Amino acid sequence: MASYRIRQYRDQDYDAVRTLFARGILEHAPAGYRHFLHSAWAQLGLLVFFVVVRAAAGYWVLGLGAVALALVAAWLLVRSFSTSYVRQALSTDLCDITASYLRVPDSCFWVAEAGGSVVGMVAVAPPQDPAERGVALELKRMSVSKDYRGQGISKALCGEVLRFAQARGYGAVVLSTSMVQVAAQRLYEGQGFRKVGAFSPSLLGSLLCFQIFHYRCDLPGRTAAP
């Protein structure tokens, strides 16, 4: 097991952090595509599409070809969903990480370093939901390099956020993660988070049968939320 250390973000980490984040998000696109293909609505839609094209063209080969094109289009949509999210993050809070997380009250950004390289990252900030502000902080931008997973880095990064929030008197930490990030869900649940909601982030997300899960961890010494 490689040794690592958790430290606060520095300006020289900028490119490594942005690259790590982008790779971490894009690697979930295949899982999102498989989820879409396994949904009953997708399978029914592909079947109906095949039958309609087969009936209109008179050839089953054309029907299969049309379905193949539909599958390619679905993959491009799933991929564009991930790339759009990455572009949005890189152009907002991850565009100026120091200003977004190190110069804002009750915010911070940590990296995990191993062998002189950044191999993990996590941030904390006041949540966007007005109902949570002043009560909870939000864990954001968690990512660990594929080559360094299974070594406790994610757990250590999550622990930094929980300790940070508790030290500042907050009663909870909240976060959002996608339904296809199963390993992340197991990690958060093992750290005391519980799922408290789910939603589709956009019309495209609804069409792709894609949901975001909202999690909450009530911190020791504070009254748990209902």
Side-chain angles (χ1 to χ4, degrees), residues 98-151:
T98 298
S100 298
Y101 293 104
L102 301 184
R103 296 177 184 163
V104 178
D106 293 334
S107 299
C108 197
F109 199 107
W110 298 272
V111 299
E113 185 180 57
S117 300
V118 172
V119 299
M121 56 185 273
V122 73
V124 64
Q128 294 184 349
D129 184 354
E132 298 280 13
R133 283 186 172 265
V135 177
L137 290 181
E138 182 177 5
L139 183 154
K140 305 177 65 176
R141 307 312 188 201
M142 169 80 84
S143 186
V144 173
S145 174
K146 184 182 296 185
D147 295 335
Y148 287 85
R149 290 173 192 165
Q151 301 184 29

Side-chain angles (χ1 to χ4, degrees), residues 18 27 44 63 105 117 143 150 158 167 171 174 187 199 202 206 211 226:
R18 285 164 58 90
E27 75 178 37
L44 178 61
S117 300
S143 186
C158 187
V174 297
L187 165 72
F199 64 95
S202 64
S206 298
Q211 285 190 315

